[in-house]
Amino acid sequence: NANWRADYAVTIGSLSGRNVNTNGFFRPSLGGFRNLADLGMPWLSAGPQAHMASYREDQNLFRGAAGGYFSPRSDVGFGVRAFVAAEVGDRMSVRGNTYAGYANRSFVDCSESGLQLEGDMSASYLFNENLIASLGTTLRSRPGYSDAAFWVSLLVPFEKRTSLNARDIIRPNIGIR
């Protein structure tokens, strides 16, 4: 059906830095999303999503001179994600997504489970053919962890723009997508 799409991602990598231990990770996610245009909401798509993550070492605690970072041994969750997108003429675009679900995280010394909520919203505006400004915010609440972020970006494209398109919308990769 043309109204449905599948999203999947697999990220394999390693985190390293000064005063932290190098740590490998594996992060797959899978979702199925339905565009709701036939229900009169062309700006909305929604559907189920599942994700997991595993880090080789639990580096959540600060130990001596070494720093820590969010890296559970196991992070599994499932829920519903919704994407919104609206074009306001040729010069402005608003995008966002929200997620509500259940998450279970296991660390070396404890486990946490419960409601996970995430949301982000961004807006981009074409000031002239050589300048695009974007701003946005992200809010997340997970078992044992909550954070918020705000960002601003300026894009000076090599090609002159008369309208915004998808490649002009800069959104940081914050949260589970």
Side-chain angles (χ1 to χ4, degrees):
N1 187 334
N3 287 334
W4 283 91
R5 70 177 167 79
D7 272 2
Y8 62 91
V10 176
T11 305
I12 300 171
S14 181
L15 299 172
S16 62
R18 188 188 316 177
N19 295 330
V20 294
N21 296 330
T22 299
N23 198 1
F25 65 89
F26 175 68
R27 248 188 336 239
S29 67
L30 176 66
F33 303 97
R34 184 178 189 279
N35 182 306
L36 301 174
D38 60 336
L39 299 176
M41 296 177 282
W43 44 269
L44 179 65
S45 63
Q49 184 179 42
H51 67 270
M52 69 148 312
S54 178
Y55 289 80
R56 187 173 54 236
E57 296 180 39
D58 181 350
Q59 295 293 321
N60 283 286
L61 302 176
F62 291 86
R63 296 177 185 92
Y69 50 87
F70 183 77
S71 55
R73 293 273 179 153
S74 169
D75 180 359
V76 178
F78 58 90
V80 175
R81 183 169 298 280
F83 296 93
V84 297
E87 309 305 323
V88 183
D90 290 339
R91 302 184 77 75
M92 186 171 179
S93 177
V94 178
R95 306 237 187 260
N97 84 81
T98 186
Y99 175 86
Y102 174 83
N104 181 285
R105 292 173 174 78
S106 297
F107 303 94
V108 168
D109 56 352
C110 68
S111 255
E112 300 169 334
S113 61
L115 182 64
Q116 176 175 333
L117 301 171
E118 296 182 7
D120 71 55
M121 185 65 67
S122 61
S124 296
Y125 186 78
L126 177 66
F127 279 99
N128 62 45
E129 57 192 21
N130 294 100
L131 182 61
I132 300 165
S134 300
L135 59 92
T137 187
T138 298
L139 304 170
R140 298 185 295 186
S141 178
R142 302 171 173 183
Y145 178 79
S146 294
D147 68 349
F150 176 78
W151 56 270
V152 176
S153 69
L154 292 175
L155 175 65
V156 179
F158 290 119
E159 300 170 5
K160 293 181 178 184
R161 302 278 196 269
T162 57
S163 63
L164 286 175
N165 57 50
R167 69 181 174 188
D168 298 326
I169 312 301
I170 297 174
R171 294 177 64 209
N173 186 11
I174 300 174
I176 298 167
R177 302 271 189 263

